[in-house]
Amino acid sequence: MADREGPSIRLTILSGLALSILTNISLYIGQLLIARSLSREEYALFLVVTNFVVLFSLFADLGLTPLFVRLFSKHSNLKNSDESQGSLLGSMIFIRVSASVIVSVAVVVVSYLVGYSIYERYLMAIFLASLFISSRLLVLRSVGEALLRSKGRYHIAMLFATLDAMVFALCIFIVRYFKTDVELTVWIYTFSNLPGFILLTLWISRWVKSEKIHLK
């Protein structure tokens, strides 16, 4: 019998698959447009900046996202689950915010020691916001997505990620008809994640309020 509290497993899987395909297509189109809009030197700089930050973001993740999903699922079935989930969610947010700050400092320091230019470090500083709002970098936002997955709402997390990908591709498509450069591209690549992040935050806030959960 299908779970009355949420969509069926089949619907969740199919919708998640469809949204995943749409997300990857949108990201591919956006990346392709970036490669066509920037010069060879500018595109190389874009890759250096983004990949440098992505490399450091792996230390902020540490492969904990699957563990978060399991812990949320486990604590939802315990006695005093509201208190347990509040403590768990608060702890995870604190851990990821702390990790993001540490990684941000590390990127700034290491990029200076390695010898990147001021402009390159400036672009990296912009892209560091992705640690907090992006679904592609499994850091802070992955906590909320782990909560959605544990509640059987994986398709909602994918919907938010798909929205971000489509905004990214659309913005890159629009600006390519004007004069674009690496800085504008990094701004779009980073803050196109805001719509999904805001919606995810609102969903979690609503869930916390409805369940009367207090973050600790």
Side-chain angles (χ1 to χ4, degrees), residues 1 6 17 23 29 35 56 58 61 64 78 102 124 127 136 165 168 180 197 212:
M1 180 178 295
L17 176 61
T23 299
I29 293 174
F56 276 81
L58 297 177
D61 174 37
L64 294 177
L78 296 177
I102 293 173
M124 291 177 187
F127 190 57
R136 297 191 290 275
F168 162 65
T180 184
F197 175 76
K212 298 180 180 180

Side-chain angles (χ1 to χ4, degrees), residues 65 68 93 96-97 100 129-148 156-165 190-201 204:
T65 301
F68 289 169
I93 292 175
R96 283 300 171 85
V97 169
S100 298
S130 298
L131 295 174
F132 301 89
I133 64 176
S134 177
S135 62
R136 297 191 290 275
L137 300 186
L138 300 178
V139 190
L140 179 59
R141 184 166 163 175
S142 65
V143 175
E145 293 178 344
L147 176 62
L148 283 171
I156 297 179
M158 283 303 308
L159 178 61
F160 296 156
T162 302
L163 175 62
D164 289 344
T190 302
F191 290 98
S192 60
N193 295 286
L194 269 179
F197 175 76
I198 293 174
L199 290 174
L200 177 62
T201 302
I204 294 176

Side-chain angles (χ1 to χ4, degrees), residues 15-30:
S15 60
L17 176 61
L19 289 171
S20 179
I21 293 174
L22 183 57
T23 299
N24 285 288
I25 291 176
S26 299
L27 292 175
Y28 174 77
I29 293 174

